[in-house]
Amino acid sequence: MIKDKYNFEVFSKKPIKLMSDSGEWLADFELDLSDKQLKEFYYDMLFGRLLDERFGQLHRLGKVSFYAPSSGHEAAQIAIAKAIDWGNDWVFPYYRDNALLYSSGVPIKDIMAQMLGTRLDPAKARQMPSHPSSKKLNMFTAASGIASHIPAAAGAAIAAKIRNKGEAVITTSGEGATSEGDYHAGINFAGAQGAPIVFIVQNNGLAISVPYHKQSAAENTSLKAHAYGMPGYYLDGMDILACYYLMKDLLERARAGLGPALVEMKVYRYGPHSPADDDMRYRSKEEVDAWRKKDPLLRMQKFLAKRKLWTKKQDIKMREEIELILDKAINEAEAEGFAPLEWMFDDVFKDKPAHLLEQQKMLLED
Ligand SMILES: Cc1ncc(C[n+]2csc(CCOP(=O)(O)OP(=O)(O)O)c2C)c(N)n1
């Protein structure tokens, strides 16, 4: 098995970190990110956090029917977004990737239009809220059927291998997805074909209310990679720099034809699974509070503060600026009004068949 550039331990039983909880650099290689890049990493994490909180507010206002809270997943998601070569690579995200989607470069107005189902949504409001996509960025819409996107991602990776133009594929999921038949079908085929793909598992420990140990006897999901003939890595997913350096290297290797990998990022979701469940029925407040102390934003703040790149005052200013950007995006998305119902009949057939024309007519007459 080929070793990664930074000597991350393959099949580690403990989550690997490069930053201590108090923000010290632990790696034995030089940090080669500029101050500007480090500050951007933090800004995007903060944006992801505030975006998630705003989705919650929109839900409570009755404007959004569904969203999957992502607070706690920011370090993992921003690291992934920063390692992707957007427009060259192919991305198959999952429904909880709010921070990743923002950091991809999808305009925030488009994200809000998709959430709110307005005319500005590039997908014409035909997907569930919280499922944006981007043709320009080669980013597929997240599938809601757990792991149903994994075979599609493996297929895209095999196609990329045949094209041989240095493209990689990235797919994300939760740990629950790795217990699905579709996950096995996709990853097995990708392994057999040596396809250029990185499978990322954001392990928040719960599939809705079901803890990991009740759905898998594997000690952690990264160990499963062994059976598929690829390296598996177990990372502290609250450590943006560990996630970034490994992702960057694995994607470079995939683009260079060195094959697939599986990366598990251990995270925690601070919110419920979705606004439809009461998380206090399956976990304790003490558990949530203990993980709050390990907040990925706090760790990055400490790391930056040691380098004089973060102050509380700057943080407050940044938050105010981000809230204004969110207000503006919501206002712009809402100003165009809801997507018309008849759009649901468009774009599938070149010439609409008679039964659809009839249904469209009935709907409009209603
Ligand atoms: C095939 C399928 N089975 C069940 C569901 C219902 N469901 C939605 S999310 C979810 C939990 C998935 O957990 P995990 O993969 O760990 O991701 P997480 O939501 O925790 O990020 C389930 C069971 C579904 N959407 N699709």
Side-chain angles (χ1 to χ4, degrees), residues 19 28 49 99 105 130 133 147 154 166 172 178 188 200 236 343 345:
M19 239 194 300
D28 52 15
R49 175 66 53 93
S130 214
S133 53
T172 61
T178 69
N188 183 63
I200 301 146
D236 180 341
W343 279 5
F345 298 98

Side-chain angles (χ1 to χ4, degrees), residues 292-305:
R292 284 260 179 218
K293 296 199 178 105
K294 301 181 190 171
D295 190 316
L297 272 73
L298 286 181
R299 198 185 307 180
M300 195 56 179
Q301 285 170 4
K302 289 179 199 158
F303 180 85
L304 292 174

